[in-house]
Amino acid sequence: MSNRKLIRPDLGEQKRGGEPRAVTRRKQSPPEQTNAEEFYYLKQMAARTPMVVVLVDGEELRGWIEWYDKGAIKLNRHVGPNLLIPKHSIRYLFKEEELRRARRRGAGAAPAADGGNGGNGGNGGSGGSGGDAGSSETGATE
């Protein structure tokens, strides 16, 4: 059997500036916060935009957002006491003007956030019409 010599590069040469090695990095996970929510809340707070907050149980609350944090928003109202609402109990929220736009388009029209499907079918938390918007779902069986 013949003696074979194993040829290995000197590790010292690679450290000093040999051929550049491809650095494999792990793909970083997306950031926890994209600041989109912060931007939206700050814009609505500065303008005191009238908002409609729909809760998980279907109840609608109207008012403007005074402040928010990671887990809750404070909703100021003209009628009734101001409310501190935990975010986990909010299904969705939208501008009250979207509700007015839907009324101008005619009974049964959905706000723009609903994709314009006329309010038929489940809204699934995508910003559908409110209970007093005169929706066309009256008499529908589910």
Side-chain angles (χ1 to χ4, degrees):
M1 188 167 182
S2 66
N3 288 336
R4 292 187 181 178
K5 186 176 180 183
L6 180 61
I7 301 173
R8 288 191 300 180
D10 184 20
L11 295 177
E13 287 179 17
Q14 287 183 353
K15 289 181 184 177
R16 284 184 229 132
E19 294 181 18
R21 295 177 62 191
V23 178
T24 57
R25 292 187 182 178
R26 280 182 125 181
K27 184 177 179 183
Q28 292 183 352
S29 60
E32 182 178 322
Q33 189 174 12
T34 62
N35 297 325
E37 179 182 28
E38 176 185 0
F39 176 76
Y40 183 78
Y41 284 141
L42 289 174
K43 186 176 178 184
Q44 305 316 322
M45 287 167 40
R48 287 191 162 196
T49 307
M51 302 291 289
V52 177
V53 178
V54 180
L55 302 179
V56 174
D57 64 359
E59 183 180 358
E60 288 186 2
L61 305 171
R62 296 167 194 268
W64 68 93
I65 299 171
E66 182 179 340
W67 65 261
Y68 74 97
D69 67 6
K70 189 174 182 178
I73 64 171
K74 182 179 180 188
L75 191 71
N76 282 356
R77 304 189 300 172
H78 290 293
V79 180
N82 300 335
L83 301 172
L84 182 64
I85 307 168
K87 287 184 180 178
H88 65 81
S89 66
I90 298 173
R91 183 182 298 165
Y92 58 90
L93 55 97
F94 60 94
K95 296 178 186 177
E96 196 171 315
E97 72 182 43
E98 292 179 17
L99 203 56
R100 285 187 229 125
R101 281 187 206 154
R103 287 180 184 157
R104 276 188 250 137
R105 281 188 230 142
D114 195 21
N117 65 3
N120 296 329
N123 57 19
S126 62
S129 61
D132 61 344
S135 67
S136 62
E137 295 178 6
T138 57
T141 58
E142 290 186 46

